[in-house]
Amino acid sequence: MSAKRRVFLSATGAVVALAATAAVAVAGPEAKPDGPSGSGKPGKPAAASELRVMTLNLWHGGAKVDDGLAKQLAVIRKHRPDVVGLQETSGHSAQEIAEELGWDHWQSDADLGIISRFPFTSEVETSQAAAGVRIRIDEATGQEVELWTAHLGYDPYGPYDACFDGMAVEDIFQREAQSGRTPQAEAIAKDLAPKIAADETPVLLVGDFNTPSHLDWTEATKDSHCGYGQVDWPVTKIFEKAGLKDSFREANPDPAAVPGNTWSPVYPKHEGSTGVDEPQDRIDFIDYAGDKLTVKDSVSFVEGDPKPVPDQAGNAWPTDHAAVLTTFTVG
């Protein structure tokens, strides 16, 4: 992608890399507190009639802004997710956030993390560039979900091939496979297939997929995507074929009206504050499968008005991605 590339190890030890992209983030509503008043920590919901799921790329574990951990915690405390899939934890952020909140957590050696106000009930499983764990969200009923977090390969990056190089779609798709994203998605879909088919425990796949969605690049949105009409981006098509639904597009079916872009609040231009316009896209997702989950609402959001790179250190928002938060009804 751009010169601002970051390289990490996945939970499986495979190299996973991410670079910069850009998006207009949608401001999300502040969640109502469900913890003790003035406690400073989210409390466990009395029942699991709703489940709030977040995905958040932490941008070098929060190291690119001042007081990164405090700002990460502020996001969690304000928006009150129940479970969060994390990327770019730098081998420590999931543990640090969870310890401050008193939550369960899993932390990879470098990149991925999962935190939950509910207890984990299994060992963590891994796939290519992804990892997941079972979480009991209701002790009374025993209801569980599986939460998987993923961080797919970054280079070559499809919107750059389209917007900067004007490539034909078939050439772009060849480079999607070259990036690692397509085989990673195929491997994840294969590993999740029996879980989805069993339809006993809802499955959530969240993360930074480093690709746009076929639900977003349509004839109606081609003016926002460098003149391209319908593009059936392979990763999101693979997950859709596997039985996973895109919760954001379930809640916001019109991509022209609600783009939901997550890349990047601090890269409006290719070099941050300079260069050509950066392609604006939704590359962070909360996908799900299972009849027990129904999408109630989904938003992408950023706090405040972050300054672009290289002036981001004082931003209240601790990352270069927008977060995504989906509220599900359970039952």
Side-chain angles (χ1 to χ4, degrees):
M1 295 167 68
S2 77
K4 311 297 189 296
R5 292 177 179 155
R6 291 93 71 190
V7 179
F8 305 94
L9 290 178
S10 74
T12 62
V15 172
V16 178
L18 176 69
T21 1
V24 178
V26 180
E30 180 175 355
K32 294 181 180 179
D34 49 29
S37 177
S39 68
K41 293 185 178 182
K44 178 179 284 190
S49 59
E50 289 189 355
L51 181 69
R52 294 170 64 81
V53 181
M54 181 183 285
T55 185
L56 184 63
N57 181 306
L58 294 177
W59 197 17
H60 291 254
K64 303 297 286 186
V65 296
D66 298 332
D67 301 317
L69 176 59
K71 292 171 179 178
Q72 294 163 356
L73 288 165
V75 173
I76 302 295
R77 286 172 170 148
K78 178 175 181 180
H79 292 277
R80 306 280 176 168
D82 298 308
V83 296
V84 187
L86 300 170
Q87 308 86 44
E88 290 200 41
T89 66
S90 293
H92 58 80
S93 292
Q95 179 176 345
E96 291 172 349
I97 294 170
E99 288 177 349
E100 287 288 333
L101 297 174
W103 288 12
D104 275 14
H105 78 277
W106 170 77
Q107 173 68 69
S108 76
D109 291 339
D111 187 13
L112 299 174
I114 298 170
I115 61 174
S116 171
R117 71 169 74 224
F118 297 112
F120 290 1
T121 58
S122 75
E123 296 296 320
V124 170
E125 299 179 59
T126 60
S127 184
Q128 287 195 29
V133 67
R134 291 175 72 95
I135 299 171
R136 182 171 294 124
I137 62 172
D138 194 315
E139 291 291 346
T141 65
Q143 179 65 58
E144 295 183 334
V145 299
E146 283 208 28
L147 178 66
W148 286 71
T149 183
H151 191 183
L152 305 188
Y154 82 93
D155 184 34
Y157 180 60
Y160 287 178
D161 290 341
C163 295
F164 295 164
D165 298 323
M167 287 188 184
V169 171
E170 55 267 29
D171 294 330
I172 294 173
F173 285 2
Q174 288 180 4
R175 286 165 61 80
E176 286 292 293
Q178 180 184 335
S179 74
R181 286 187 295 277
T182 304
Q184 287 166 347
E186 289 170 342
I188 294 167
K190 181 179 180 180
D191 289 342
L192 294 185
K195 302 173 185 293
I196 294 170
D199 197 26
E200 295 174 355
T201 302
V203 175
L204 294 150
L205 174 65
V206 312
D208 174 4
F209 296 172
N210 269 317
T211 179
S213 172
H214 67 285
L215 300 176
D216 295 353
W217 281 51
T218 68
E219 287 297 323
T221 63
K222 65 181 181 181
D223 289 345
S224 299
H225 298 128
C226 306
Y228 288 73
Q230 182 66 48
V231 177
D232 289 334
W233 293 99
V235 165
T236 55
K237 290 292 288 187
I238 289 166
F239 290 148
E240 181 181 74
K241 185 177 180 180
L244 291 160
K245 300 176 183 178
D246 182 335
S247 67
F248 186 86
R249 277 290 160 249
E250 291 263 311
N252 307 282
D254 184 352
V258 187
N261 294 331
T262 60
W263 182 266
S264 164
V266 295
Y267 280 92
K269 300 290 185 180
H270 192 52
E271 299 301 328
S273 59
T274 62
V276 298
D277 289 343
E278 181 79 358
Q280 309 293 300
D281 271 295
R282 185 171 67 101
I283 64 172
D284 300 81
F285 298 87
I286 297 175
D287 288 357
Y288 76 102
D291 292 340
K292 293 181 180 179
L293 295 182
T294 303
V295 176
K296 179 179 180 181
D297 185 48
S298 186
V299 294
S300 62
F301 66 90
V302 171
E303 297 294 338
D305 186 17
K307 292 182 178 179
V309 169
D311 301 316
Q312 82 285 347
N315 288 344
W317 188 245
T319 174
D320 53 353
H321 287 242
V324 184
L325 176 67
T326 297
T327 302
F328 296 93
T329 58
V330 182

